[in-house]
Amino acid sequence: MAIEFTKYHGLGNDFILIDNRASSTPRLTPEQAIQLCDRHFGIGANGVIFALPGEKDTDYTMRIFNSDGSEPEMCGNGIRCLAGFLAELEGMSRNKDRYRIHTLAGVITPQLTEDGQVKVDMGLPRLLPGEIPTTLAAADAKVINQPLEVAGQSWDVTCVSMGNPHCITFVDDVAAIPLESIGPQFEHHPVFPQRTNTEFIQVVSRDYLKMRVWERGAGITLACGTGACAALVAGVLTERCDRLATVELPGGTLEIEWSEIDQRIYMTGPAERVFTGKI
Ligand code: ZDP
């Protein structure tokens, strides 16, 4: 049976979107996702996203398979793409109301803005080691500027969960980081039982951060929405940046705010439709 798909990207973080509204079971297996994400033998993407029926009083459910077939709890760039895809499926204009999306990280609320961007209420950051999860600190101690030995070097890391795990290190020059070789060593470090996404951040000013990312299950990507949110939280916790900042990724920029009013994280950025096809 042919399955239609739509390719989207958010700042070059690219996804295959599947209309899965008719059933609560993903129409593709993780093995098929691995094959379709392959850039030479498949469509090419950082992950596959399924738009499923809503659960627990939400409009829709989002599930994602990374390009290695693993299933993350959340995906920041992906949920902006999902919002664009849903508006397209529903035939709505792009400034309609917000969607309540059920994810493994809780209810996330993207809203299509009038200028064609998507603003997402990403919920509360989680900081306790058990929530990340990491064994780098005792249960009630946050991991802020903690030394971690990777590749024969000590790195001061800060750990934040945006539903999925992130390990953030501030550096003087992100361009100088050998991501390809050290990324996997962070991802698979024994202190992260669910593995981790890894972000290197250069503080340009209190409201402008530069970031490079090694994603769990996907490797080097051009952008990571949850990672940009986690980076801003880490920057605020270590008193390096303001609560509202631009995060520059290789694929473009995101606006991230850690609201003083409700303590939630708001992420604003683009979602671009690329093409549709049939498998
Ligand atoms: O947590 C993970 O395993 C990530 N690879 C999921 C994808 C995160 C993403 N880059 C984002 O934008 O948040 C898509």
Side-chain angles (χ1 to χ4, degrees):
M1 190 188 64
I3 294 181
E4 284 184 24
F5 69 89
T6 303
K7 182 82 190 286
Y8 264 82
H9 78 89
L11 302 181
N13 197 195
D14 57 344
F15 304 98
I16 298 162
L17 280 289
I18 305 285
D19 179 0
N20 216 119
R21 291 175 296 169
S23 142
S24 293
T25 308
R27 297 171 70 193
L28 300 169
T29 64
E31 292 70 33
Q32 288 172 313
I34 294 171
Q35 206 248 317
L36 293 173
C37 286
D38 190 287
R39 299 202 183 273
H40 302 290
F41 297 97
I43 299 162
N46 293 138
V48 178
I49 294 177
F50 303 91
L52 303 135
E55 283 170 44
K56 298 183 187 157
D57 204 26
T58 56
D59 300 317
Y60 295 97
T61 297
M62 172 172 79
R63 287 185 63 185
I64 321 149
F65 294 150
N66 283 320
S67 54
D68 74 351
S70 61
E71 179 169 10
E73 302 81 355
M74 231 307 267
C75 177
N77 288 318
I79 205 157
R80 294 199 316 276
C81 294
L82 178 69
F85 181 57
L86 290 172
E88 190 188 320
L89 288 179
E90 294 181 351
M92 302 194 321
S93 66
R94 289 206 61 169
N95 55 8
K96 257 279 166 77
D97 220 346
R98 61 190 71 201
Y99 294 104
R100 284 169 52 79
I101 310 286
H102 176 73
T103 76
L104 292 175
V107 178
I108 308 287
T109 317
Q111 181 175 21
L112 303 164
T113 65
E114 272 163 48
D115 59 358
Q117 302 252 101
V118 186
K119 180 172 182 179
V120 187
D121 173 353
M122 299 283 283
L124 302 169
R126 289 150 237 196
L127 303 174
L128 294 178
E131 301 175 299
I132 287 166
T134 178
T135 57
L136 204 46
D140 53 351
K142 296 170 186 164
V143 180
I144 300 174
N145 277 335
Q146 278 240 9
L148 175 68
E149 181 92 3
V150 178
Q153 206 180 320
S154 178
W155 307 79
D156 286 338
V157 304
T158 298
C159 294
V160 176
S161 169
M162 289 303 304
N164 56 354
H166 294 273
C167 173
I168 296 107
T169 305
F170 292 89
V171 296
D172 291 336
D173 178 11
V174 276
I177 295 295
L179 252 195
E180 191 105 31
S181 59
I182 62 171
Q185 300 186 50
F186 277 89
E187 178 182 354
H188 298 282
H189 198 289
V191 296
F192 302 113
Q194 302 290 330
R195 302 191 280 154
T196 190
N197 295 287
T198 304
E199 288 85 18
F200 295 93
I201 310 297
Q202 179 180 339
V203 180
V204 177
S205 66
R206 290 195 64 87
D207 63 358
Y208 199 98
L209 309 177
K210 257 189 191 178
M211 161 173 152
R212 286 178 71 211
V213 56
W214 176 270
E215 274 190 40
R216 175 181 69 169
I220 293 177
T221 59
L222 295 179
C224 178
T226 49
C229 296
L232 178 107
V233 171
V236 171
L237 292 173
T238 59
E239 295 173 3
R240 288 181 167 97
C241 73
D242 298 338
R243 295 180 76 108
L244 173 60
T246 300
V247 181
E248 182 191 313
L249 302 124
T253 62
L254 293 170
E255 297 300 317
I256 312 290
E257 180 176 15
W258 187 4
S259 167
E260 214 131 22
I261 299 160
D262 59 16
Q263 299 304 318
R264 302 172 82 84
I265 306 287
Y266 294 88
M267 170 191 68
T268 307
E272 306 285 344
R273 179 181 197 270
V274 189
F275 62 88
T276 59
K278 269 184 199 161
I279 304 159

